[in-house]
Amino acid sequence: MIGRIGIAAAACAAAIFAFQGHAQQAPARPSVDAPELAALGSYGVGVADLEFVEAGRADPLQGADKPAIVDRHIPIKLWYPAAAKGAGTRYRTALPGEKGSDVPFEVPGLATPGAAAAKGRFPLVILAHGYSNTPEVLSWLGENLASKGYVVVAPAFRDPPITIRTPAARAGPLTSRPLDIAFVAAEAQRRAQAGQGAFAAADAARTALIGYSMGGYGVLTAAGAPLDPAVAGATRGVLAPYVAGAEKAERLKVADLKAVVAISPASNLYGTPLWAAPGVAAIRAPTLFIVGSQDHVVGYDPGVRTLFDQEVHAPRYLLTFREAAHSIALIGAPPAMRESFWDLDWFEDAVWRKDRLMAVQAHFITAFLDRYVKGEEAKAAYIDGLVPNSNDGKWQGAPGGRYAGFSPGAPASTIWKGFQPSRISGMNFEFKPAQP
């Protein structure tokens, strides 16, 4: 009997250890060489699965002669600050594989389903994924921000498989990004203002938008960039009432917007321009652009750098990972997505470590949102006045060897504040102020 109890206890301990091992591998947990502000915050992380429903909306993917009018069901992954840290979870999701069928996989997470929410009022963040992605592959950012006092709402857009490369299929994400983001933001704000359920802790008056790839197109549109009339034809007329100058164009703009983060944002889809003049120059909210210099999906220059230059009426920042390509925002490839080059290429960059990419982005996104959404002016030192080329930073008298400490920033050091001296190469960070 004692032997059986001992064996059972050992098995239980092994199971707990295995689960803790999975939790430690959660993408939201930064590596030991991560910059300072990538570290997790003081809150636990809760997660909930919800669904928003927009009644009676035209769907370009349904209907024969014209788009069908249907109820739009939008699954929501909600990450929020929790009162205590929990055991974590495992997300189950899937992405289209090389042959078009979904490849299922799991993602270890730090969040605890249904955890009690922390007391307080926290800024609201809408997190928009890319073409054929899911919220779970951005869990590293959703969980990281929730631990720092943000309520993160991540809609699942349920795109057609990206392997279906037809104009009819592309009408789905072209339509869903601006319409879903505008609806989800308004509905989340409404529930926050009414103190409903999991949104009671969210502060609707402090809203931020974050989007990757097609999600980047969506958040820049929701921030005020007017849709080009060409997208009307590309969406079977569904977006016609929302293009520049049309009667519903203003409905796409998110209220109480304090900041925007656009990671590798799309601005042109297979020859279809996405915005009409003045384009992103219509945006007034502070914006952080993030991109790889070898991004051949959305382009660098011309491309995301062009958007950075054109957004003249907003204070904006540009973080460039030199030699990185488009796959900078998703988690590292899970084992199930390492069986073919095509599947692996969803996730991994040819030059940069994925955990490094995530950590640097978490650092700068934290500094940017804390400053412009929470009003923490002390965080300005992490993003203002930096030497544009990270390689040019100097720190006289810095400890030698494998020093793990962080640069204090100006005036003592021009190595970017919050970075270790040996972990600073290969990036650019630029700022341009708003013009009148």
Side-chain angles (χ1 to χ4, degrees), residues 271-291:
T272 300
L274 300 181
W275 300 300
V280 293
I283 297 173
R284 296 297 191 273
T287 304
L288 170 60
F289 293 97
I290 303 175
V291 68

Side-chain angles (χ1 to χ4, degrees), residues 1-223:
M1 184 70 171
I2 294 176
R4 290 181 181 177
I5 292 175
I7 293 172
C12 181
I16 292 173
F17 179 81
F19 185 84
Q20 289 175 339
H22 286 311
Q24 290 171 353
Q25 297 167 19
R29 191 183 300 280
S31 59
V32 294
D33 65 346
E36 182 180 3
L37 298 185
L40 295 169
S42 60
Y43 294 101
V45 180
V47 63
D49 290 296
L50 310 167
E51 183 180 76
F52 288 177
V53 180
E54 183 178 9
R57 198 175 93 185
D59 185 351
L61 299 178
Q62 300 186 55
D65 298 329
K66 60 182 180 180
I69 305 300
V70 298
D71 291 347
R72 172 69 171 169
H73 291 258
I74 309 173
I76 300 293
K77 186 73 69 176
L78 178 70
W79 288 290
Y80 57 91
K85 298 179 180 179
T89 190
R90 293 188 71 80
Y91 305 110
R92 292 172 175 82
T93 188
L95 262 61
E98 182 175 9
K99 298 179 181 180
S101 59
D102 282 351
V103 178
F105 55 89
E106 293 186 354
V107 182
L110 298 175
T112 300
K119 293 182 179 180
R121 297 279 284 176
F122 307 103
L124 179 66
V125 175
I126 310 300
L127 177 60
H129 66 71
Y131 200 149
S132 281
N133 297 168
T134 66
E136 289 80 2
V137 295
L138 291 176
S139 60
W140 66 273
L141 184 54
E143 291 186 341
N144 191 285
L145 290 177
S147 79
K148 295 167 178 173
Y150 292 90
V151 174
V152 182
V153 180
F157 299 106
R158 298 181 295 121
D159 300 320
I162 199 169
T163 50
I164 304 176
R165 299 181 181 276
T166 64
R170 292 196 291 267
L174 267 178
T175 302
S176 67
R177 290 312 184 276
L179 293 184
D180 284 358
I181 290 170
F183 173 73
V184 167
E187 179 63 13
Q189 290 173 333
R190 183 190 69 78
R191 296 188 185 197
Q193 291 163 349
Q196 292 184 2
F199 293 90
D203 182 359
R206 294 183 293 166
T207 297
L209 301 174
I210 303 177
Y212 166 61
S213 196
M214 281 299 287
Y217 143 69
V219 299
L220 291 172
T221 302

